Amino acid sequence: MMFVSTRGGTPPVTLSQALRLGAAPGGGLFMPSEIPRHESTRFAAGRPLAQFAADWLRPFFDGDPLAADLDAICAEAFTFPVPLVAALGGDSSLRALELFHGPTGAFKDFGARFLLACFDRLAGDEPLTVLAATSGDTGGAVGCAAEGRRSARAVILYPKDRVSPFQERQLTCWGDNVAAVEVDGDFDACQAMVKAAFADPRLSASHRLTSANSINLGRLLPQVAYCAHAAFEAAALNTGNRPGFIIPSGNLGHGFALLLARAMGAPVGPVVLATNANRTLLDWCQTGRYQPRPSVATLANAMDVGNPSNFERVAALGDGAAEVAVELAHDEAIRHRIAADYRDSGYVWCPHSAIAAEAWRRLAGPARDERLWVAAATAHPFKFAEIVEPLIGRALEPSSALAAIAGRPTARQRIAPHLADLAALLEQQRVAA
């Protein structure tokens, strides 16, 4: 299997090369040169996720040096449960795919652990510099996955005043090989700096830069696997009918991963991308034109993205594979859905997952009732306690992993949103190391 840039113009590369480079030369994103197809009869519900993931992802690793390690990589990444929960009661057609049982309480744990396990096998004698922009949860997951590894040091950029208090603690609490950097700008400014760094050949080579954002295909492959696994599980519950999926969408990596799983043969029915007030995807769905916008701040801060990078990958899938609906929920709807569903069922959504639940409520009755719908529950609600607790009228309990973070010391650095500032910081980090 070889991988090509969404923008063309560069030779195909191996999977190991694509993971090591992060982004393609010229600013494109790596895609498989062809979409592998699985016979659904080879996959059945009830298989352990790590085993399922290794088999589902094997075509991507075909012929690559990492192929021999795929089973071990999956065993390292998929070590916590991913339950399908009848959040609103057994009579409801909605199932919450709880993706927040990992060490940092967010779905990003899968991709970060998978990618760092790959880097352990690719880095060689000198550590890689993992450069990541985060709108909330990516940075915490990458910091946790990178902490203590000799294969990588992590530099995490996050937007000033645009993450929750707990998210900021989780971004800034890791060990000496993880640097948290507060940027005087929004997520799109952080992401633009990361892309500019990769586009600078001298800077990229000097620091052995690689990415842990969803621009790196290695972050998305484990999401492809658990989406496919959930589809088979939900289809079995629904007597074989293809389940619908609702994915809270920011930088669109999660949505792309689901669409790729569907293109590979997973039993995925209709797909709804659920967004906050950042309406770039809704405008595209309604007009057919993709026009980035400045991002706006919302309660669902990890989705505050005005120019989602992975749109290039979605577009590269082609019209049939990329067929989706888009639903937008403003902050008032997020608040209402958290409060109403807790009152009616006792289930607690985080602000991002609440957008998926709201999108399900807005489905026309026949469409909502004819199949099971899987809503990606992307983060533990405790991470947004200052938003959720007033809406449900009680205190939230952290998971044991999240509780442990409260006692860690924190440290951060601040820079302006300019490549020169980032380059200077990278040099300081290398000298300090």
Side-chain angles (χ1 to χ4, degrees):
M1 173 72 72
M2 300 298 286
F3 297 82
V4 297
S5 172
T6 52
R7 301 183 186 181
T10 59
V13 300
T14 66
L15 177 64
S16 289
Q17 290 171 323
L19 301 189
R20 169 64 185 81
L21 289 169
L29 304 180
F30 285 115
M31 287 277 291
S33 57
E34 58 181 318
I35 305 299
R37 290 281 304 181
H38 284 301
E39 292 294 332
S40 60
T41 53
R42 290 185 52 230
F43 295 87
R47 292 185 66 194
L49 178 54
Q51 295 177 15
F52 178 100
D55 286 344
W56 190 263
L57 298 178
R58 212 169 297 282
F60 297 109
F61 286 73
D62 185 35
D64 191 83
L66 287 173
D69 293 312
L70 176 58
D71 292 271
I73 291 168
C74 289
E76 288 182 41
F78 297 98
T79 58
F80 39 91
V82 190
L84 270 174
V85 176
L88 306 183
D91 294 335
S92 166
S93 67
L94 184 66
R95 296 294 182 271
L97 181 65
E98 292 188 344
L99 298 165
F100 51 72
H101 294 288
T104 71
F107 76 98
K108 307 291 180 71
D109 282 322
F110 290 104
R113 288 155 62 91
F114 185 93
L115 185 58
L116 267 295
C118 291
F119 288 160
D120 275 349
R121 294 158 172 86
L122 294 175
D125 295 332
E126 186 180 349
L128 302 171
T129 299
V130 180
L131 188 58
T134 184
S135 54
D137 288 326
T138 293
V142 171
C144 178
E147 185 179 46
R149 291 184 190 258
R150 289 179 293 177
S151 64
R153 62 185 180 119
V155 177
I156 301 164
L157 311 181
Y158 70 95
K160 185 177 186 296
D161 298 329
R162 291 287 196 101
V163 299
S164 77
F166 187 86
Q167 283 177 318
E168 185 166 48
R169 167 163 286 279
Q170 200 170 46
L171 288 167
T172 58
C173 71
W174 308 109
D176 291 341
N177 67 322
V178 180
V181 184
E182 184 183 63
V183 176
D184 188 13
D186 60 14
F187 170 75
D188 292 319
C190 297
Q191 184 166 253
M193 276 202 295
V194 170
K195 289 182 176 180
F198 281 109
D200 184 326
R202 183 198 61 79
L203 189 65
S204 184
S206 174
H207 295 282
R208 304 192 76 207
L209 293 184
T210 190
S211 173
N213 278 91
S214 60
I215 60 176
N216 194 316
L217 188 64
R219 261 279 313 281
L220 302 184
L221 290 178
Q223 294 172 221
V224 175
Y226 71 60
C227 284
H229 185 265
F232 281 99
E233 297 295 313
L237 292 173
N238 203 201
T239 63
N241 196 16
R242 289 174 175 261
F245 277 75
I246 307 174
I247 304 294
S249 298
N251 211 29
L252 205 50
H254 215 174
F256 167 76
L258 175 65
L259 295 175
L260 181 55
R262 183 169 70 178
M264 292 174 67
V268 175
V271 172
V272 179
L273 303 178
T275 75
N276 58 18
N278 289 277
R279 57 179 299 122
T280 301
L281 293 179
L282 180 62
D283 290 346
W284 162 69
C285 188
Q286 291 177 340
T287 68
R289 296 188 302 273
Y290 178 76
Q291 183 61 51
R293 292 167 166 260
S295 65
V296 298
T298 75
L299 295 177
N301 66 291
M303 295 160 55
D304 291 348
V305 182
N307 185 14
S309 288
N310 285 289
F311 183 83
E312 287 193 36
R313 285 187 169 122
V314 172
L317 285 174
D319 292 340
E323 183 178 346
V324 298
V326 178
E327 191 66 48
L328 182 149
H330 291 281
D331 282 356
E332 309 84 64
I334 295 172
R335 291 188 182 96
H336 171 76
R337 184 51 47 211
I338 292 171
D341 283 357
Y342 178 72
R343 180 191 65 234
D344 295 340
S345 70
Y347 195 80
V348 183
W349 303 104
C350 86
H352 311 77
S353 311
I355 298 177
E358 176 68 13
W360 175 79
R361 288 284 184 182
R362 295 180 186 178
L363 292 169
R368 194 170 62 206
D369 297 335
E370 69 185 3
R371 67 182 74 240
L372 279 182
W373 286 85
V374 177
T378 54
H380 195 291
F382 179 80
K383 300 181 77 168
F384 306 91
E386 71 283 354
I387 296 171
V388 175
E389 289 179 350
L391 297 172
I392 65 173
R394 70 169 177 85
L396 292 169
E397 291 295 324
S399 67
S400 58
L402 296 183
I405 288 170
R408 282 174 165 257
T410 62
R412 63 184 172 187
Q413 300 180 62
R414 295 183 178 90
I415 63 171
H418 306 303
L419 180 60
D421 295 77
L422 176 59
L425 183 140
L426 289 171
E427 188 59 34
Q428 292 170 8
Q429 290 291 314
R430 177 162 61 185
V431 171

